[in-house]
Amino acid sequence: MTPQIKAFFDPATWTVSYVVFDEIKGSCAIIDPVLDYDSKSSRTSIHSANQLIEFIHAQQLTVAWILETHAHADHLSSADYLKSQLGGKTAIGDNIPAVQETFKKIFNLGDEFAPNGRQFDHLFTDGELFQVGKLTASAISVSGHTPADMAYQFGDAVFVGDTLFMPDIGSARADFPGGNAHQLFRSIQKLLALSPTTKLFMCHDYPPAGRAPAWECTVAQQRAHNIHVRNGISENEFVTMRNKRDATLEMPNLLLPSIQVNIRAGKLPPAEQNGVAYLKIPINLI
């Protein structure tokens, strides 16, 4: 079956969230939802998430899955809020414990945080199949940006997370803890080996001046035009470019707050004795 797809672009974080649905059975999956966060006041809000809810109610859909392509470093996830409002199972790649273990040490998290993936309802393995109504989807491991990156394929549509960007932007960075430029190249090749007409949907777009935000292209377009991994670029050329470029990049604005929430499947840290939840900021560590 052909999936129906509705994209939601968040201009504050340049993130694209998706609702993928089977309009016959009325079942859907949500991919990479955003929890709005004001870094100046450290206040969260649910405007972006409520846009998804409004669409899902209007289409009379039932949520089967809330899918994360990885533990994002550039926006907070609203998966936990959406689950409380709509139901569905939260899911991510089965290498998420490696990411959780790394950041448990960085943030010196206590015994309340177990780095075993149990914060999510399901951990997908590479090649695992799952259902959204009549739609059969598959999880594709695309590690390299982080160890736990997953792409999700629904028919001729693949949601690639941060592994690839639009062809004029290129590819994800590979210098986060656990990242690996060699592995990122090989993961990208898995995507580029799909049928040329396969549609790829990005999680972010950072458009150059003069171009409006965009988030969909084909495998053929990526092969021909991606500035980092088009046809003819070798693994060693890519790794050299990626490592050199990554060394010049600043950390994402929301790295520290977002990771602490996203490794918890969108849950805030537990409230302390005064009833307030706190995010931790390590000094001179990252």
Side-chain angles (χ1 to χ4, degrees), residues 30-101:
I30 299 170
I31 302 177
D32 292 334
V34 172
L35 180 69
D36 304 303
Y37 178 75
D38 180 358
S39 60
K40 296 184 292 296
S41 64
S42 197
R43 296 192 70 89
T44 63
S45 58
I46 51 177
H47 171 74
S48 295
N50 282 343
Q51 288 183 314
L52 304 182
I53 292 173
E54 289 170 9
F55 176 81
I56 287 167
H57 285 331
Q59 297 293 319
Q60 299 182 325
L61 302 174
T62 299
V63 176
W65 295 95
I66 303 171
L67 306 173
E68 300 286 3
T69 53
H70 62 294
H72 307 272
D74 34 31
H75 70 270
L76 282 66
S77 170
S78 60
D80 187 58
Y81 168 69
L82 290 171
K83 180 180 175 180
S84 73
Q85 300 298 306
L86 299 170
K89 295 180 180 180
T90 58
I92 200 168
D94 65 347
N95 280 333
I96 190 61
V99 177
Q100 293 174 321
E101 181 66 40

Side-chain angles (χ1 to χ4, degrees), residues 84-256:
S84 73
Q85 300 298 306
L86 299 170
K89 295 180 180 180
T90 58
I92 200 168
D94 65 347
N95 280 333
I96 190 61
V99 177
Q100 293 174 321
E101 181 66 40
T102 294
F103 285 101
K104 177 172 183 173
K105 294 175 182 176
I106 288 174
F107 292 111
N108 195 31
L109 302 179
D111 293 339
E112 59 83 18
F113 182 77
N116 58 10
R118 71 183 185 190
Q119 298 80 3
F120 297 84
D121 296 315
H122 187 78
L123 304 182
F124 282 113
T125 59
D126 186 26
E128 184 175 349
L129 302 180
F130 59 101
Q131 294 296 129
V132 177
K134 289 284 189 178
L135 300 171
T136 299
S138 63
I140 305 171
S141 176
V142 287
S143 59
H145 174 57
T146 81
D149 280 60
M150 276 285 177
Y152 300 103
Q153 181 169 14
F154 294 77
D156 67 347
V158 183
F159 300 85
V160 302
D162 284 4
T163 303
L164 278 171
F165 297 133
M166 294 298 288
D168 59 349
I169 302 300
S171 62
R173 65 195 299 166
D175 62 333
F176 290 158
N180 183 287
H182 285 281
Q183 185 57 48
L184 177 60
F185 180 86
R186 295 164 193 166
S187 293
I188 291 172
Q189 297 311 306
K190 290 169 67 173
L191 298 174
L192 298 187
L194 297 170
S195 168
T197 58
T198 301
K199 294 176 287 187
L200 304 178
F201 292 86
M202 316 301 133
C203 181
H204 295 281
D205 187 41
Y206 306 97
R211 175 169 75 72
W215 43 82
E216 177 185 349
C217 64
T218 65
V219 166
Q221 290 170 318
Q222 291 282 7
R223 291 179 190 172
H225 303 298
N226 188 289
I227 60 173
H228 294 165
V229 289
R230 63 185 177 273
N231 290 339
I233 293 179
S234 70
E235 179 173 338
N236 286 338
E237 288 173 320
F238 173 81
V239 170
T240 298
M241 175 281 302
R242 190 68 266 169
N243 289 340
K244 182 178 179 180
R245 176 170 171 75
D246 288 350
T248 70
L249 299 177
E250 296 180 349
M251 288 293 102
N253 290 335
L254 296 181
L255 170 69
L256 295 176

Side-chain angles (χ1 to χ4, degrees), residues 2-14:
T2 301
Q4 302 299 306
I5 300 166
K6 176 66 174 177
F8 297 82
F9 180 68
D10 173 40
T13 61
W14 308 95

